[in-house]
Amino acid sequence: MSSVFETYIKLGFHHIFDFQAYDHMLFLLALSAIYTLGDWRKVIALVTSFTIGHSVTLALSTFNIIKFDTSLIEFLIPVTIFFTCVTNFFKLKGAATKQHPIWSFHNLMAIFFGLIHGMGFSNFLKSILGRNRQVWQQLLAFNIGIELGQLLIVSIILITGFLIMNLFNAKRRDWIMVLSSAAAGIALILMMETSIF
């Protein structure tokens, strides 16, 4: 069983780095844009909140407890990215000095958006799940893999931000603006490319 568990951890980890499904990486970029390396505890709490959300709908979808319109989910995922970026813009004014609590509205937003992203993950997971009694273990391992991948992504984002702001004297406000604007622009393109339009 351990080999199967490890296999699904790797599948979850590599899936989050799938550049053909980069919308999840884009969401993490938008989610962590307002934070610095010193806020790493808060970012871990955010990522875990997101994981809790997507784990719920991923499980419900995998066991066919909930069903949904795939095209609607493909539209809603970039909507979550765009909305996150918009909230970042409203926080620009106090970005340099504002202290963010470890648990906040941002975490609730991450959980809610995680519910949507979980439905997006489910199509991939359903295509690879085995038909056996180990489905729960495979589901758990897949979520652990995704969590590990997400933590690596936000670590790269935070370290990159630290280097840019300290080596090149970039302002934190400008860093947030660049990341959020880029993510929002790509999210709009992804929204327009869905079958809803």
Side-chain angles (χ1 to χ4, degrees):
M1 189 191 78
S2 61
S3 61
V4 173
F5 197 82
E6 291 169 7
T7 296
Y8 276 83
I9 287 179
K10 291 176 182 177
L11 284 170
F13 182 85
H14 291 300
H15 182 61
I16 203 72
F17 281 96
D18 183 359
F19 286 99
Q20 293 182 338
Y22 62 88
D23 48 354
H24 302 297
M25 285 190 280
L26 199 62
F27 177 75
L28 293 170
L29 178 71
L31 193 68
S32 57
I34 63 171
Y35 297 98
T36 64
L37 191 58
D39 297 318
W40 64 270
R41 291 184 183 86
K42 300 161 192 174
V43 178
I44 288 176
L46 269 180
V47 171
T48 302
S49 298
F50 180 62
T51 300
I52 290 169
H54 73 62
S55 296
V56 171
T57 47
L58 184 55
L60 293 175
S61 177
T62 298
F63 290 100
N64 296 313
I65 296 173
I66 60 170
K67 295 184 179 180
F68 51 87
D69 184 345
T70 302
S71 61
L72 177 61
I73 298 304
E74 288 176 352
F75 172 73
L76 288 177
I77 287 175
V79 168
T80 66
I81 298 167
F82 185 79
F83 183 84
T84 303
C85 293
V86 170
T87 62
N88 290 347
F89 294 143
F90 282 107
K91 296 173 182 176
L92 283 174
K93 188 174 181 180
T97 57
K98 188 174 178 61
Q99 294 296 314
H100 303 278
I102 289 180
W103 182 262
S104 66
F105 170 75
H106 226 171
N107 296 80
L108 295 176
M109 186 175 72
I111 291 173
F112 178 70
F113 289 168
L115 295 172
I116 296 172
H117 283 250
M119 288 181 268
F121 286 133
S122 66
N123 288 331
F124 172 78
L125 185 59
K126 282 181 180 179
S127 69
I128 61 172
L129 273 177
R131 298 175 180 270
N132 53 53
R133 295 180 181 178
Q134 295 184 9
V135 171
W136 276 109
Q137 290 94 329
Q138 294 166 352
L139 186 61
L140 174 62
F142 187 76
N143 278 305
I144 291 172
I146 288 177
E147 173 79 347
L148 293 174
Q150 290 174 163
L151 290 173
L152 179 56
I153 289 170
V154 296
S155 296
I156 293 170
I157 294 168
L158 293 179
I159 291 170
T160 301
F162 175 82
L163 293 174
I164 289 176
M165 283 183 277
N166 285 275
L167 295 180
F168 300 99
N169 295 319
K171 293 182 179 178
R172 183 176 175 187
R173 185 182 185 280
D174 294 339
W175 172 247
I176 296 170
M177 188 70 180
V178 168
L179 290 189
S180 300
S181 298
I186 297 171
L188 281 174
I189 294 171
L190 290 174
M191 288 160 61
M192 296 299 294
E193 287 180 344
T194 60
S195 58
I196 286 182
F197 286 93

